Amino acid sequence: METTKVGDLYSAECPCRDILDLVASKWSALVIGKLEEGPHRFGQLRRAVPGITQKMLTQTLRRLEQDGLVHREVLVRMRPPQVEYSLTELGLTVTEPLAAMRNWTEAHLPDVQAARVRFAELQPA
């Protein structure tokens, strides 16, 4: 019987894959990028990340909170009470690699678009 080493992402049974799936998702990367700027309320995040649905933002924030990357605080001093989200210390550790991925994506968008065009031109009609 084969045992799974902790942190062996190439093992099908590695629980790290679930974490990779979370932090590598586009919505997590974008939400974490906005929270890197400072705490945001739900509505602020929704406006700051166009295209994300209320349901997807809720699911993303819950998973990030569950895995210890995001802190959710109910602001009872506000009327009505509001909820604010911020990055935890653990969440701050993933901001640099995700920023690098976002920057790479923006910098290489023309290259990827050109590759897609070349690929489509080679496909049979």
Side-chain angles (χ1 to χ4, degrees):
M1 182 164 140
E2 183 182 330
T3 60
T4 302
K5 294 185 299 184
V6 175
D8 182 4
L9 280 169
Y10 291 95
S11 169
E13 295 82 30
C14 183
C16 293
R17 286 185 173 194
D18 186 50
I19 299 167
L20 180 62
D21 183 51
L22 173 63
V23 297
S25 82
K26 72 177 175 185
W27 298 125
S28 291
L30 295 172
V31 168
I32 288 170
K34 284 299 167 185
L35 291 177
E36 188 177 359
E37 299 170 0
H40 283 67
R41 291 189 311 276
F42 186 90
Q44 290 174 312
L45 281 171
R46 181 123 186 255
R47 288 186 297 278
V49 184
I52 193 168
T53 64
Q54 181 171 333
K55 179 181 177 182
M56 183 54 65
L57 180 56
T58 298
Q59 289 174 349
T60 301
L61 288 167
R62 282 189 182 148
R63 284 200 60 204
L64 291 169
E65 182 184 9
Q66 170 191 325
D67 287 358
L69 301 174
V70 165
H71 172 72
R72 179 182 182 271
E73 182 179 356
V74 178
L75 305 172
V76 292
R77 67 184 184 274
M78 312 271 299
R79 293 286 180 234
Q82 296 184 353
V83 177
E84 187 174 78
Y85 297 91
S86 60
L87 292 175
T88 63
E89 285 186 36
L90 180 61
L92 289 169
T93 66
V94 77
T95 59
E96 188 176 333
L98 287 178
M101 288 298 299
R102 289 189 306 269
N103 292 337
W104 182 92
T105 301
E106 289 177 344
H108 293 282
L109 174 63
D111 302 320
V112 172
Q113 289 175 324
R116 288 176 178 173
V117 167
R118 285 191 306 274
F119 181 84
E121 290 171 349
L122 295 174
Q123 298 308 303

